[in-house]
Amino acid sequence: MESTSEKTMSPTLSSSTPSSPQSPNSPLPMTVTPPVIMSPCAACKILRRRCADKCVLAPYFPPTDPLKFTIAHKVFGASNIIKLLQDLPEAQRADAVSSMVYEANARLRDPVYGCAGAICQLQKQVSELQAELAKSRAEMVNIQCQQANLIALICMQNNNNDNNVTPTSPQNDSFEANTNFLNFYDENNNVNSIWEPLWT
């Protein structure tokens, strides 16, 4: 009985063992995926707090641009920024963040006037450009008037020259021809009357 059991167990052991042994330097067949580490947003990193999954500041202050939140935080403060974003709908939050960052930059450049100083400067430039545009339009209208007056003067001179030239009609030409013929006839008669006594 023992011999039969050993015989029956031997094929199972031989089938379970691999045919070729693995080398110790061969790579493992299983791939280990590294754990995903979520970096906190720039706001939470600067405030040194844990960034929650539904952080209000995370979509607008990425970790790659910490200066954006630093500038806004200096002027408005983190609590005011969070409160403002929570009161607005999601469609308007990106524009609100851009406005806050722009106003904070202007306030840091000009602590007295802020963005109002930039707006006043731009309005001044607009008014100066509008004055230059109006001046250019007035000069253009003046040049057009001068050109129209010059054309009208040239046309009047041409009409006066045409009126001074009197056209000759065919009747006058025929009348002049007849008078010339009569004068020539009279002259011939006078010559004949002079030579007539000489032939007699």
Side-chain angles (χ1 to χ4, degrees):
M1 293 294 291
E2 292 179 358
S3 61
T4 56
S5 62
E6 289 177 359
K7 290 180 181 180
T8 56
M9 290 293 290
S10 60
T12 57
L13 291 173
S14 63
S15 63
S16 62
T17 57
S19 60
S20 62
Q22 291 183 355
S23 63
N25 294 327
S26 62
L28 296 174
M30 296 177 62
T31 58
V32 179
T33 57
V36 178
I37 300 172
M38 297 296 291
S39 61
C41 63
C44 295
K45 188 181 292 185
I46 292 170
L47 297 175
R48 295 180 180 179
R49 67 179 187 181
R50 182 177 175 274
C51 188
D53 294 336
K54 295 181 179 180
C55 181
V56 181
L57 303 173
Y60 313 105
F61 299 103
T64 56
D65 191 6
L67 185 62
K68 186 177 180 181
F69 179 77
T70 304
I71 294 171
H73 177 57
K74 285 182 180 179
V75 177
F76 296 100
S79 59
N80 292 326
I81 295 172
I82 294 171
K83 183 179 179 181
L84 180 63
L85 293 178
Q86 287 176 349
D87 293 338
L88 290 174
E90 293 185 1
Q92 298 177 0
R93 290 179 181 178
D95 294 333
V97 170
S98 299
S99 300
M100 283 190 290
V101 173
Y102 177 79
E103 188 173 353
N105 277 317
R107 181 65 64 180
L108 292 175
R109 287 194 303 267
D110 189 358
V112 178
Y113 296 103
C115 62
I119 293 171
C120 292
Q121 187 177 2
L122 292 174
Q123 287 179 350
K124 183 179 179 181
Q125 292 179 1
V126 169
S127 61
E128 290 176 355
L129 292 174
Q130 286 178 351
E132 291 180 1
L133 181 62
K135 185 178 178 181
S136 300
R137 286 178 177 176
E139 291 177 356
M140 186 173 63
V141 171
N142 190 12
I143 292 171
Q144 289 177 354
C145 292
Q146 290 179 359
Q147 185 178 4
N149 293 330
L150 183 61
I151 293 172
L153 182 62
I154 293 171
C155 292
M156 289 176 63
Q157 289 180 354
N158 291 331
N159 292 329
N160 291 329
N161 293 330
D162 293 337
N163 292 328
N164 290 330
V165 176
T166 56
T168 57
S169 62
Q171 294 179 358
N172 292 331
D173 294 338
S174 62
F175 179 74
E176 290 178 357
N178 292 329
T179 53
N180 291 329
F181 178 75
L182 291 174
N183 292 329
F184 179 75
Y185 181 75
D186 291 339
E187 289 176 357
N188 289 333
N189 288 333
N190 291 329
V191 170
N192 292 328
S193 63
I194 292 170
W195 289 98
E196 186 174 359
L198 296 176
W199 294 104
T200 55

